[in-house]
Each structure stands twice: as structure tokens, then as C-alpha cells.
Amino acid sequence: MEVDYLFEIGDNIVYPMHGVGIIKAIEEKEISGGKQQYYVIKMLIGNMQVMIPTDKILSLSIRPVTDIIALKRIIDIFQHGETDRLLPWKQRYKVNTDKIKTGRIQESTEVVRDLIRLKKEKALNPSEKKMLENTHEFLISELGLINGITENQIKIFC
């Protein structure tokens, strides 16, 4: 019986809060007497491999790497758009965490943009500094996997 999977071996994916990865295999494992299909994903950052049940992939907001068509919108978000500077840092941290968890590149781009702007005005606290480093690294690594993107387009985000 042929099974349709959302992703195929070799596909580049984005795992929110973890970054980009490549589907290396689809394996069947037996756990507690039941068989389950898993995506084996090699994460590009941290040299980690994860196994995710194929039926949990959507609930984890795992998505394909964005495409060149979305890049213009992403650059626009990064260069323009309003940053809410009035939120207390704890509230801002929660809002930003929620944005990252959506898995949407637009939301992550807003987080990077806002934290970079804030960093230019004042020192970020350690939690926000780490969030900026991780989210920025994830964004740059995803952009690097988009077919047709130029190095100059990526440099806009650096």
C-alpha cells in the first residue's frame, strides 16, 4: 500500500524554534506494540537529528522552506513595518515567542527586525539577546536554502 506523505526524502523543512532541516528518511518504528511512521530530520544548526511522527508534522507547524516569491514580502517586512517599543520586555518576549512558534517566516522576520531595532537603542536582556541570535540564525539559514536567492538579498538581513 502506497502512503502519501506531506514531505519526501530530501525536502528542506522549517521546524519552529529549532530551525531548518532536511528530511533524511521516513522510517517505521514499533513502539508500545503499535507501528508508527516517522520523519527522520537532520537539523542544519546544532548537528542534531530528530524523529517526528508523520501524523504530528502539521500540529508542530513544520513547513517547507519558503520560496523566492515570498522573499519580496519578507524583505519588505524586514525593512519597514512598525515596532512596538512600549511593551515591557517580559510581555514583548512572550509576544515574540508566540510569533516564532507559529513557524511562519513573516512572524520570525518581524521578531528579528524588532529586536535588531531595539538593540540599536539599548542593550537587550540576556533572554532577548539569545532569542535574537537564534531567530536570526534560523532566518539566515532558511534564506540560504531558497532557490534563486542572491547573496545580496541575504545580506539585507545581516
Side-chain angles (χ1 to χ4, degrees):
M1 182 175 106
E2 182 95 11
V3 179
D4 282 337
Y5 293 106
L6 187 59
F7 297 109
E8 296 177 12
I9 296 170
D11 285 353
N12 294 318
I13 57 92
V14 177
Y15 187 176
M17 305 296 287
H18 300 282
V20 296
I22 299 171
I23 305 289
K24 288 295 189 183
I26 301 171
E27 297 179 357
E28 184 174 87
K29 299 280 184 192
E30 189 170 330
I31 298 177
S32 302
K35 291 185 178 185
Q36 174 77 49
Q37 298 288 324
Y38 288 86
Y39 286 110
V40 179
I41 304 169
K42 169 84 169 92
M43 303 307 295
L44 299 185
I45 298 171
N47 200 21
M48 178 174 65
Q49 184 168 292
V50 296
M51 293 181 73
I52 300 172
T54 56
D55 60 353
K56 299 275 190 254
I57 213 88
L58 290 176
S59 66
L60 294 172
S61 300
I62 292 175
R63 63 171 174 78
V65 167
T66 199
D67 59 22
I68 193 74
I69 296 164
L71 185 63
K72 186 177 186 314
R73 176 79 181 117
I74 294 162
I75 291 172
D76 189 57
I77 288 169
F78 194 78
Q79 293 177 330
H80 308 289
E82 294 300 313
T83 299
D84 187 349
R85 291 174 168 85
L86 302 177
L87 286 179
W89 86 263
K90 283 185 179 179
Q91 191 175 353
R92 183 174 57 239
Y93 187 83
K94 177 167 181 0
V95 166
N96 285 339
T97 300
D98 291 344
K99 283 182 176 183
I100 295 166
K101 284 180 180 178
T102 68
R104 296 180 54 224
I105 192 169
Q106 296 86 347
E107 304 274 342
S108 293
T109 301
E110 289 176 9
V111 170
V112 171
R113 176 200 66 203
D114 294 348
L115 290 177
I116 286 174
R117 287 178 181 173
L118 203 58
K119 184 179 173 186
K120 289 178 181 173
E121 296 171 13
K122 62 182 180 182
L124 298 176
N125 69 49
S127 297
E128 285 186 310
K129 186 176 178 186
K130 186 72 174 158
M131 176 182 277
L132 174 57
E133 289 169 4
N134 289 342
T135 309
H136 189 246
E137 186 177 15
F138 295 163
L139 179 62
I140 296 298
S141 63
E142 179 173 2
L143 293 174
L145 293 176
I146 297 174
N147 288 328
I149 192 171
T150 67
E151 205 169 305
N152 284 339
Q153 288 171 315
I154 292 176
K155 284 182 180 172
I156 291 170
F157 299 93
C158 295

